[in-house]
Amino acid sequence: MADDRRSPAVLGMHTAHPARLYDYYLGGRDSFEADRRVAEEALAVAPELRAMAAENRAFLRRAVRHLVDAGIRQFLDIGTGLPTRRNVHEMAQEIAPETRVVYVDNDPVVIVHARALLTAHGRVSGEEAGGPGPTAVVEADVREPERILADPDVRGVIDFDRPLAILITSVLQFVPDPEPATVVAPFRDAMVPGGHLVLSHPTQDLRAVQAARVTGAYKRVGIPTVTRPKAEIERAFEGFGLLDPGIVQLPLWRPDGPVTPDLDRIWMYGAVGRKL
């Protein structure tokens, strides 16, 4: 396991990072001053970012619950972000304790927190008889699919001969190039039929002015950010059959209850696909 005693420079304390911005929108406390400055600038032009972050987590919870109920017992969560309440392994293992989970992120702060959380609960790479399935944390970038797929910690937890779910939620907006279909393709090709892709992504199809202002605020501090139209997000699901209701605004994906009346303020799409 890598040494997690990191310097401020290595941890990126002076540079805003998407994972910590997201944590700030969710009301978390694991952000630095550089993150908070950018987050407040973005919130000034689009206060709905807090609601969007919450809806993204709710979408992820519903998707994970559906997939575990459908028999999926392996999850590869890429761009996981900082640990929060009801993390993927907690949601999945509450229903099926044997579920295996690997978290992947490129932020050293995320890695430190995730490993500390899982180690405290005895959940990092290892499985006691009758206990929870193994869980691992890997430092890598979604733009490095071959590295992720070949990582020994990933391979030690995930059996690629069995169906798994790959989660890429609120991540690909920080990958301006290549387009999502190109990023997703190697992960899709590594999956057997019956595996699933869970993806969410902001769009300029709705509230284009606010979307442009937020991406502008991010770009000014060196965070390349894009929104994408529904057609481009749909191409990421090539080779998958979309589960009902398809690619929709996050609150509309199999809601547990009444949908927020401020639906037009949630300019993010979400969808789940099953590999054919």
Side-chain angles (χ1 to χ4, degrees), residues 142 145 149 166 168 172 178-191 197-199 233 235-238 240:
V142 69
L149 293 168
I166 293 181
I168 310 178
L172 293 180
E179 69 169 287
T182 301
V183 177
V184 167
F187 296 110
R188 178 199 62 218
D189 294 345
M191 301 167 70
L197 170 67
V198 179
L199 189 149
I233 297 168
R235 287 198 293 272
F237 285 93
E238 291 176 359
F240 295 89

Side-chain angles (χ1 to χ4, degrees), residues 160-237:
F160 286 92
D161 292 326
R162 296 172 51 214
L164 75 145
I166 293 181
L167 316 176
I168 310 178
T169 58
S170 195
V171 174
L172 293 180
Q173 65 265 34
F174 303 113
V175 184
D177 185 61
E179 69 169 287
T182 301
V183 177
V184 167
F187 296 110
R188 178 199 62 218
D189 294 345
M191 301 167 70
V192 299
H196 289 75
L197 170 67
V198 179
L199 189 149
S200 64
H201 198 297
T203 180
Q204 71 269 37
D205 295 350
L206 308 163
R207 295 177 71 83
V209 172
Q210 287 82 357
R213 289 174 177 169
V214 171
T215 58
Y218 280 30
K219 289 176 183 177
R220 282 193 291 275
V221 294
I223 303 176
T225 311
V226 296
T227 55
R228 291 184 165 98
K230 188 174 185 178
E232 191 170 343
I233 297 168
E234 187 172 14
R235 287 198 293 272
F237 285 93

